[in-house]
Amino acid sequence: MWFFRGKGPSGFSSSSTAEEVTQGIDATGLTAIVTGASSGIGTETARVLALRGAHVVMAVRNVAAGKDVREAIVKQIPTAKVDTMEMDLTSLSSVRKFASDFNSSGLPLNILINNAGVMATPFLLSKDKIELQFATNHAGHFLLTDLLLDTMKKTARKSSKQGRIVNVSSEAHRFPYPEGIRFDKINDQAGYRSYLAYGQSKLANILHANELARRLKEQGADITANSLHPGVIATNLFRYNSAINGLVNVLGRVLLKNVQQGAATTCYLALHPQVKGVTGKYFADSNLSKTTPRGQDVEMGKKLWDFTMDLTK
């Protein structure tokens, strides 16, 4: 079990599950994309959204694993509408192809959940020669969001239902490099520290959501953008550190959230009426939370936006 804190203002706590925070919510008629839906909290997010009636498109790198997850969801929920589409966030051309295929499918898009991620990898470059954690956790999602925005705006206008963009960040955003985002050293192998690079990418998730929220508000678009910390969860995110992975396997059931609890805040932000109109905020345990001052740095958010636009051209 998890060492739980009491309920917050939302009525939910760190022990709340994704099913509990969406109890009684009807998502019929909504379409959601969930990245990284073939494992961990991505799978549970997809399952619970489908359970509530949403049409879920699972954006996955491993198509075979994605199809297995889809079959498992449909077996449990025969009425579930779930599709699997291939997308590799480490490849900008793969992200472009996914977005192009989705946009030309004619499907609406109400909810975009930027969930996929890697953690504390050794120094590696993506297919586009971008440091892997920054590429996967931030740049790929930034490009995906940008390419899907027009479809989301059209959907919000036609359906009169507010669109929602959810970035899965982490409390690790508190521990980036000293300068926060290393704009001039993104690919610096000599100064690379795997956990600081992870913190940098998670800080980028928050800054992206905040700047996106500001821009959408400025444009008068009926779409919100928020970020969240899912909790420390026993998933394969720790696979690149054998010592920590071993500890997780031994202590996970006692000290960490399970996947059902880990997906709760994501599902809360995707569906709950309590957060209608709330944008540019950071959540944890299905409640409003606080970032570091860096996580609220508007100028750094603007700089990151321009930097990533150039990076993903």
Side-chain angles (χ1 to χ4, degrees):
M1 63 174 286
W2 173 250
F3 293 117
F4 304 113
R5 290 193 291 274
K7 290 180 181 178
S10 69
F12 303 115
S13 71
S14 53
S15 66
S16 299
T17 65
E19 284 199 28
E20 287 167 354
V21 303
T22 58
Q23 188 66 44
I25 296 173
D26 183 7
T28 305
L30 300 181
T31 301
I33 290 175
V34 182
T35 71
S38 61
S39 66
I41 62 173
T43 294
E44 179 65 0
T45 299
R47 185 189 74 82
V48 172
L49 294 184
L51 178 68
R52 299 301 174 223
H55 178 186
V56 179
V57 176
M58 298 166 52
V60 296
R61 181 177 53 84
N62 185 332
V63 177
K67 285 180 178 173
D68 288 345
V69 167
R70 183 196 172 278
E71 284 174 17
I73 292 173
V74 173
K75 190 175 180 182
Q76 186 192 357
I77 312 159
T79 57
K81 292 175 70 178
V82 184
D83 291 314
T84 305
M85 289 176 66
E86 184 175 5
M87 184 182 70
D88 180 356
L89 284 161
T90 69
S91 163
L92 297 178
S93 64
S94 175
V95 173
R96 287 192 185 95
K97 184 181 185 309
F98 172 90
S100 175
D101 289 348
F102 183 87
N103 288 335
S104 60
S105 72
L107 285 171
L109 183 58
N110 306 90
I111 300 161
L112 173 60
I113 296 175
N114 293 319
N115 163 81
V118 292
M119 177 182 178
T121 64
F123 182 82
L124 294 164
L125 293 178
S126 72
K127 293 179 174 100
D128 304 281
K129 308 297 183 210
I130 304 167
E131 187 275 308
L132 191 70
Q133 295 192 80
F134 195 80
T136 308
N137 299 351
H138 169 64
H141 281 130
F142 179 96
L143 178 62
L144 177 68
T145 304
D146 189 57
L147 294 174
L148 294 173
L149 265 185
D150 280 348
T151 297
M152 289 198 76
K153 287 174 182 175
K154 284 175 195 167
T155 302
R157 281 197 305 269
K158 284 182 181 177
S159 66
S160 298
K161 290 177 182 173
Q162 190 169 73
R164 298 187 183 187
I165 297 167
V166 181
N167 281 3
V168 179
S169 178
S170 166
E171 282 292 278
H173 82 274
R174 299 181 186 281
F175 309 103
Y177 291 105
E179 59 268 57
I181 309 288
R182 306 174 95 202
F183 293 106
D184 56 343
K185 295 179 182 176
I186 285 295
N187 290 345
D188 178 27
Q189 186 171 359
Y192 181 77
R193 300 293 179 269
S194 62
Y195 282 97
L196 298 182
Y198 179 66
Q200 170 182 252
S201 72
K202 294 290 103 180
L203 172 61
N205 292 152
I206 294 170
L207 293 172
H208 172 220
N210 293 354
E211 178 61 11
L212 181 59
R214 189 187 70 79
R215 287 168 179 258
L216 289 167
K217 204 183 279 187
E218 218 172 56
Q219 294 162 13
D222 192 18
I223 302 170
T224 62
N226 292 292
S227 56
L228 67 101
H229 168 57
V232 183
I233 304 141
T235 70
N236 66 358
L237 201 59
F238 295 101
R239 63 189 175 274
Y240 290 101
N241 189 308
S242 56
I244 291 180
N245 197 36
L247 199 62
V248 165
N249 289 334
V250 173
L251 300 176
R253 291 181 188 178
V254 180
L255 299 175
L256 308 179
K257 279 188 178 185
N258 60 37
V259 169
Q260 292 77 19
Q261 292 158 346
T265 308
T266 302
C267 291
Y268 173 76
L269 285 176
L271 293 181
H272 209 286
Q274 282 181 356
V275 287
K276 186 179 180 183
V278 177
T279 193
K281 302 296 182 185
Y282 176 71
F283 288 77
D285 299 333
S286 303
N287 281 277
L288 201 57
S289 190
K290 286 184 179 176
T291 68
T292 60
R294 274 226 177 89
Q296 301 166 57
D297 188 330
V298 176
E299 290 311 309
M300 186 177 282
K302 289 177 181 177
K303 187 175 180 181
L304 177 66
W305 186 280
D306 294 338
F307 176 81
T308 317
M309 270 291 183
D310 288 339
L311 196 65
T312 56
K313 272 179 182 172

